[in-house]
Amino acid sequence: MMQSFIHRVSTLAQQTGRAFPGGEDLALKLLRAPHAAAPRRRLAKAMVAWLRETTEPPPGLPGLVGEAITLAWQGLSDTERLESGLMPAYMRVLRQTQQHDALLQMLEQGYCRPEPDDAWLQTALAGLAWVARECPDGSNQRRVARLLSAWLAMPDSAAWLQGLPNASAQTLANALLKTGVLSGLAALLNHHLQALDPDQTARGLTALVQHLGGATVRDGAQQAVALHPRHPGLRLVLLQAMADCGASMADMAPLCQGVDLSHPSAEAFLSGVATWAFESGQAKVAQETLQALATLGPLPPANAAQWQHLSVKQGGGPVADASPLDLSALAAVQEALTPLADLLAIAPLHSSPYSAAALRARSAEALAHFEHTLAAQAALSWAQAEEAANTLWALANAGPLELRHWQGVFPFDFGPDLGCIDPLRASALCDAVLTHLLSLCQHQLRGLTGQIQEVLQIARWLCEARWALGQAPEALADIARLQAQLAPWGDWAWWALLERCALEAGDEASARNARQQLPLVAESETHTALEWDDWLGEQAAHQRLLCSDPALPGTWQIASPDGRVREAAFATLPCQLSSVAVRHVQVRHSHLLVSADGRYLLPHAWHRQMGAFPFPHPGLLSRGLRGATLRKPSQVDRVDEALLVVANMDATFHRNYYHWMVLTLPRIHWAMAQGLLDGRRLLLPAELSGWMFQSLHDIGLPQEALYLYRQDQTLELADALLLSPQEWASATQIEALRQTLWRAAGLDPTAPPPAQRLLYLTRQGEVRRPFAQEAAVAALATQLGFECVAPETLSVLAQVRLFAEARAIAGPPGAAFTNLMWAQASTKVLTLFKEDINGPTFLDLSFIRGQQHRWLQGQSLPGFEHTSVVTSPYAIDLALAERELRWAAT
């Protein structure tokens, strides 16, 4: 064997014009004494020197070096092999010769963790990073994850990380990122934040925010931005973390300026900022950011759709390619998805010949075809599966299919009078998409050969589909199986997803168990959520009825896009207000009421459709439909004073005029009239808007009757009287509030002022539901004698006086229509919206006040079919607009 090896080395040396490594005398010694240890070690070192000196090693040299080292190590212990000085070269050779298994076996079979001062440290870490990066086999990535996790689980791991040279820390970060060992990545960032490359830091923090949420990562992101203030990727991570913590737009705005736009991550940064601004209703910021993004290249599809949306009213700017979502563009699954695409071509209209049941039957057939075709075709790449999953999820949340989320939110059917789209048919189509998405994810997760981030993303899509379909326990079981199979590959990410699944399912024990493996466990506590009746039942508390309103029937008129006018009937929803005495309830972050046994009050689904609950705040670590993991309060302030507490106090999160004036202020006013504030003060967050405090003063509630606290305080109330939640307008409460505010505004409810004013309510700043002819219709209204008003610029009492004098009120729907509360019974109301769907939100106010209400329906603009049907831009025929404005004015 030695003779053959010497011959091969000699031949390669001659071919490259070199002498035999170590000299010809070494070759002779090896031939004469092939088992002698010293000559073999001498040859190995000479071969290593040859490899090190060669910029482009000749074919076969790395393999021969590896053989030489193996011969030199024969008969040596692991310790002796490390002491030989050949370990770094041997690991480089294994990488160069693509020997994944050999490299991992060497590190797994007895070699201890390399210490910071070991010569082979860098090559060991580089080898692991190389396997994690280059080896497509998920099993080898899991082996790397297990090895790294074992090293980081040693008692002295913190000191080991602290002592790593910068180059080794960089290499270790790459390996941890590729294997998803987020626990190690977080520890490494904690010790080497200053030394790590900012791009690498941004990638690491992005992974941590994605899986753990902003409350866990925000402090680290702030430190990183302080070190690299102009880095776009780090700024974007911090923005995401702050948004998760409920930061205000004012807090986040400075981070959107002054970044390095020449950096490769600038496009992702601008794209993220534009999306944040667009979804927050900041039209000017969104438009300016999109214009800056367009200078870097074509707008990404989502941003192009945003620009197209803004352009309905803004006009000008970069050319956008807002191509609609298209299943036929998914070449890898096109044939499998053909029946679904045909099904989605059926518009979910009330007039459709296909019932919701028929659509569900066709959905089952399409799913069977999809699963059969997918099983028979070539395996999908992870990129293909992710593209298909992303498209399916986007489809399930766009166009009319988005109306599925309305199921259970409103306790009435959306018949043809409330829009031509049928939410039941839309739900059937949406479920068809979701079941295809679920099947796709299940299919892809049967083969786990991808990178960990790819596997995790598909697992997240699977959970989203399960949750949307009401299958939270099944999602928990799915992720538990995957976590048991794959850990520690993706360690914290799986535990975080398990925790979320458990919170969705209301499985408090499983959520607690998952949190035990996650950061901040000592600072956290898990709570389950219950709706009002169940929440009170757990406390054996009894309600006292304060107010009860039956359903109030009424009629309104609908002017359809073809000009026909018809009458329709509806009824307000019955509602009740009650009070209940509870003890030792906690108030957290102004909107959370936590009982003594740790259950928090869950709002009605109507409130939840405006955003996940609990709302974002720094103490929220994880949440699901049926529970949340919160930071333990650093301090609990006990309040022995008797207080009146308003349930569902969301006013600092939804600073919406309708929510306050219809659902909150009337409850407070009625409670005051019933004497509930005699001997009690009203508990309110100090962060309420100024106009909210002014409205309290307007109803006669003095400052000294308020007990104000900061949102970041946690209070434990010894004696709390709760006002029950309220989701719908109460005729009794609204009439009482109207009379009080009329008097406060200098009006006499028994002698109303002349109703002569014609009011057109403008929504020039509206981004989410743009009305294409807003300016043209406002101009028409002005010509017909209407005053164009922006009620949000007026005080509450000024709005009361203005609308009390209205003969007609017209405009696109929005919170300003809350002011129908103050208008007289003779007032005509004209709402300009679209025929697709329209909620009866303001009909109840007109019914309560006895007003004549008419809808003028327009049509959604073409090209926005894959935007939410509720928020897509719309247009109204100007001739019809003039006709209906004249109706209102007469």
Side-chain angles (χ1 to χ4, degrees):
M1 185 179 80
M2 180 61 76
Q3 184 175 4
S4 171
F5 177 66
I6 295 298
H7 174 72
R8 285 184 284 123
V9 172
S10 179
T11 300
L12 184 61
Q14 291 173 6
Q15 290 173 350
T16 57
R18 297 178 63 96
F20 187 87
E24 294 297 331
D25 62 326
L26 178 59
L28 292 174
K29 286 182 181 180
L30 288 166
L31 290 172
R32 286 196 298 267
H35 298 294
R40 283 189 292 182
R41 286 197 294 272
R42 181 179 162 193
L43 176 61
K45 291 181 178 180
M47 294 287 293
V48 168
W50 180 8
L51 181 62
R52 190 179 295 124
E53 295 165 1
T54 309
T55 305
E56 295 184 8
L61 178 59
L64 290 173
V65 174
E67 288 186 60
I69 294 173
T70 302
L71 288 169
W73 279 351
Q74 285 182 358
L76 299 184
S77 67
D78 290 344
T79 301
E80 290 171 327
R81 291 183 181 189
L82 288 172
E83 292 174 349
S84 71
L86 296 171
M87 183 65 76
Y90 188 62
M91 300 189 83
R92 282 195 297 269
V93 164
L94 293 179
R95 285 162 49 200
Q96 290 174 333
T97 54
Q98 303 288 304
Q99 296 185 63
H100 311 100
D101 285 338
L103 190 150
L104 289 173
Q105 286 173 9
M106 186 180 67
L107 292 171
E108 291 167 339
Q109 294 174 357
Y111 286 100
C112 60
R113 179 191 67 193
E115 294 307 310
D117 56 354
D118 285 344
W120 65 290
L121 169 70
Q122 179 59 23
T123 50
L125 294 176
L128 292 176
W130 166 72
V131 172
R133 182 180 66 252
E134 300 296 336
C135 184
D137 183 2
S139 63
N140 275 343
Q141 284 203 351
R142 293 196 287 279
R143 290 169 66 188
V144 175
R146 281 194 292 271
L147 194 58
L148 291 173
S149 296
W151 288 358
L152 292 166
M154 293 181 179
D156 64 341
S157 61
W160 181 74
L161 287 171
Q162 183 67 40
L164 289 179
N166 289 346
S168 298
Q170 298 273 9
T171 305
L172 178 60
N174 286 331
L176 293 168
L177 264 172
K178 280 296 182 181
T179 55
V181 182
L182 299 184
S183 56
L185 182 62
L188 182 66
L189 287 169
N190 184 51
H191 289 291
H192 285 274
L193 189 62
Q194 292 186 352
L196 290 177
D197 173 79
D199 291 349
Q200 196 173 46
T201 300
R203 288 191 294 271
L205 289 172
T206 297
L208 290 167
V209 165
Q210 178 185 0
H211 297 293
L212 301 181
T216 305
V217 183
R218 184 183 59 173
D219 291 347
Q222 287 175 331
Q223 294 172 28
V225 169
L227 290 170
H228 309 282
R230 300 190 67 232
H231 192 283
L234 292 172
R235 289 276 197 98
L236 182 58
V237 173
L238 181 53
L239 282 170
Q240 292 168 336
M242 291 177 67
D244 285 352
C245 293
S248 69
M249 291 178 286
D251 292 334
M252 296 169 68
L255 287 171
C256 300
Q257 305 296 324
V259 300
D260 179 8
L261 294 182
S262 65
H263 192 276
S265 64
E267 181 177 341
F269 170 79
L270 291 173
S271 176
V273 170
T275 298
W276 160 71
F278 179 82
E279 293 177 351
S280 302
Q282 304 296 301
K284 187 173 184 295
V285 175
Q287 188 174 26
E288 291 173 350
T289 307
L290 289 170
Q291 288 172 329
L293 180 59
T295 65
L296 303 180
L299 290 176
N303 297 119
Q306 292 160 6
W307 177 259
Q308 193 177 28
H309 206 95
L310 291 168
S311 297
V312 171
K313 293 174 70 171
Q314 303 289 344
V319 177
D321 177 18
S323 302
L325 299 167
D326 186 2
L327 291 179
S328 65
L330 301 172
V333 289
Q334 181 180 359
E335 201 283 324
L337 289 173
T338 296
L340 177 63
D342 293 341
L343 180 62
L344 296 179
I346 301 173
L349 305 178
H350 285 288
S351 59
S352 171
Y354 297 96
S355 66
L359 293 175
R360 291 189 181 278
R362 287 193 56 173
S363 169
E365 295 171 0
L367 182 62
H369 171 86
F370 176 76
E371 292 177 339
H372 174 77
T373 306
L374 207 58
Q377 72 178 43
L380 296 176
S381 72
W382 286 90
Q384 290 170 333
E386 188 169 341
E387 180 188 17
N390 186 62
T391 300
L392 288 169
W393 179 249
L395 277 171
N397 290 276
L401 274 61
E402 194 237 2
L403 295 183
R404 184 191 188 280
H405 305 305
W406 285 20
Q407 296 303 305
V409 171
F410 301 98
F412 52 81
D413 293 330
F414 274 74
D417 290 333
L418 299 181
C420 61
I421 294 175
D422 176 13
L424 293 178
R425 288 176 170 90
S427 295
L429 294 181
C430 185
D431 285 356
V433 176
L434 291 170
T435 53
H436 279 71
L437 172 59
L438 176 59
S439 179
L440 170 70
C441 294
Q442 291 172 324
H443 171 84
Q444 193 67 15
L445 289 170
R446 293 188 187 105
L448 296 172
T449 59
Q451 301 288 319
I452 182 60
Q453 296 302 332
E454 296 170 331
V455 175
L456 283 167
Q457 184 57 61
I458 294 297
R460 290 174 70 89
W461 287 132
L462 179 144
C463 290
E464 293 287 0
R466 288 275 200 207
W467 297 332
L469 290 166
Q471 300 173 7
E474 291 84 350
L476 177 59
D478 288 341
I479 299 305
R481 283 193 296 269
L482 284 168
Q483 192 273 341
Q485 180 181 355
L486 299 177
W489 197 36
D491 60 350
W492 276 358
W494 291 118
W495 288 114
L497 195 52
L498 267 173
E499 180 184 41
R500 168 75 189 279
C501 288
L503 294 172
E504 287 284 343
D507 186 338
E508 186 173 345
S510 294
R512 290 182 190 276
N513 180 63
R515 177 50 60 172
Q516 291 297 314
Q517 315 302 321
L518 290 167
L520 304 178
V521 59
E523 303 172 35
S524 68
E525 52 191 24
T526 302
H527 300 268
T528 51
L530 296 172
E531 292 195 36
W532 177 251
D533 289 338
D534 293 332
W535 190 74
L536 291 182
E538 289 283 320
Q539 303 173 73
H542 301 288
Q543 301 183 65
R544 172 196 167 200
L545 184 64
L546 301 176
C547 175
S548 180
D549 290 282
L552 177 63
T555 61
W556 86 104
Q557 293 180 324
I558 303 169
S560 59
D562 62 7
R564 290 181 297 172
V565 178
R566 70 181 191 275
E567 188 170 274
F570 189 70
T572 65
L573 293 166
C575 61
Q576 293 184 337
L577 178 66
S578 61
S579 65
V580 59
V582 295
R583 296 187 179 276
H584 306 296
V585 67
Q586 283 192 359
V587 179
R588 297 194 188 182
H589 309 287
S590 80
H591 68 293
L592 281 175
L593 292 180
V594 184
S595 64
D597 61 356
R599 308 287 202 269
Y600 66 83
L601 176 61
L602 183 68
H604 184 275
W606 187 87
H607 274 276
R608 300 199 303 271
Q609 54 98 22
M610 291 173 287
F613 192 89
F615 302 130
H617 58 82
L620 178 63
L621 299 179
S622 185
R623 68 182 168 202
L625 176 60
R626 297 296 171 189
T629 300
L630 306 174
R631 284 183 190 265
K632 293 178 182 176
S634 58
Q635 177 179 325
V636 178
D637 297 323
R638 179 180 170 87
V639 181
D640 293 320
E641 179 181 343
L643 297 175
L644 181 66
V645 181
V646 180
N648 280 4
M649 172 48 67
D650 62 357
T652 61
F653 294 89
H654 298 302
R655 297 179 184 272
N656 181 279
Y657 190 63
Y658 177 88
H659 289 205
W660 178 260
M661 300 304 294
V662 176
L663 304 178
T664 302
L665 188 63
R667 284 189 288 162
I668 295 172
H669 178 257
W670 189 256
M672 201 171 101
Q674 302 302 305
L676 270 62
L677 283 172
D678 297 342
R680 291 180 183 269
R681 286 198 288 172
L682 174 65
L683 181 70
L684 288 175
E687 293 85 355
L688 288 179
S689 299
W691 62 267
M692 296 177 181
F693 279 121
Q694 182 60 49
S695 70
L696 293 169
H697 178 269
D698 294 338
I699 65 172
L701 193 60
Q703 181 71 25
E704 55 269 22
L706 306 180
Y707 186 105
L708 302 181
Y709 69 102
R710 300 186 317 275
Q711 283 191 105
D712 60 0
Q713 283 183 274
T714 296
L715 306 181
E716 182 174 316
L717 309 181
D719 181 2
L721 186 64
L722 302 186
L723 286 180
S724 64
Q726 191 161 292
E727 320 302 333
W728 324 113
S730 160
T732 302
Q733 296 169 38
I734 283 177
E735 177 56 22
L737 180 63
R738 181 189 70 83
Q739 293 197 25
T740 295
L741 287 180
W742 264 40
R743 293 189 185 96
L747 303 173
D748 183 356
T750 64
Q756 297 297 331
R757 301 179 77 166
L758 306 178
L759 306 180
Y760 184 86
L761 311 185
T762 62
R763 290 175 63 81
Q764 292 290 347
E766 175 58 39
V767 174
R768 292 165 296 175
R769 300 187 296 271
F771 174 26
Q773 289 93 5
E774 169 73 17
V777 173
L780 274 174
T782 301
Q783 293 171 14
L784 295 172
F786 282 80
E787 305 171 53
C788 288
V789 297
E792 66 273 13
T793 64
L794 305 174
S795 70
V796 171
L797 293 184
Q799 292 180 70
V800 171
R801 283 189 290 269
L802 176 66
F803 283 83
E805 297 174 355
R807 185 170 84 241
I809 301 167
F817 272 78
T818 305
N819 288 302
L820 297 180
M821 295 166 63
W822 327 126
Q824 299 184 41
S826 59
T827 304
K828 288 184 175 180
V829 181
L830 178 65
T831 304
L832 292 77
F833 200 45
K834 61 179 75 172
E835 65 174 342
D836 306 86
I837 196 75
N838 201 346
T841 304
F842 301 108
L843 290 180
D844 52 3
L845 299 182
S846 284
F847 289 4
I848 289 169
R849 296 294 302 127
Q851 297 156 354
Q852 300 179 62
H853 202 125
R854 179 179 288 189
W855 288 351
L856 172 57
Q857 295 179 329
Q859 295 178 317
S860 293
L861 294 181
F864 293 90
E865 290 78 7
H866 293 87
T867 301
S868 164
V869 71
V870 178
T871 60
S872 62
Y874 64 100
I876 286 178
D877 181 88
L878 290 179
L880 283 179
E882 181 177 0
R883 186 192 78 178
E884 295 305 314
L885 286 168
R886 289 184 183 278
W887 165 83
T890 57

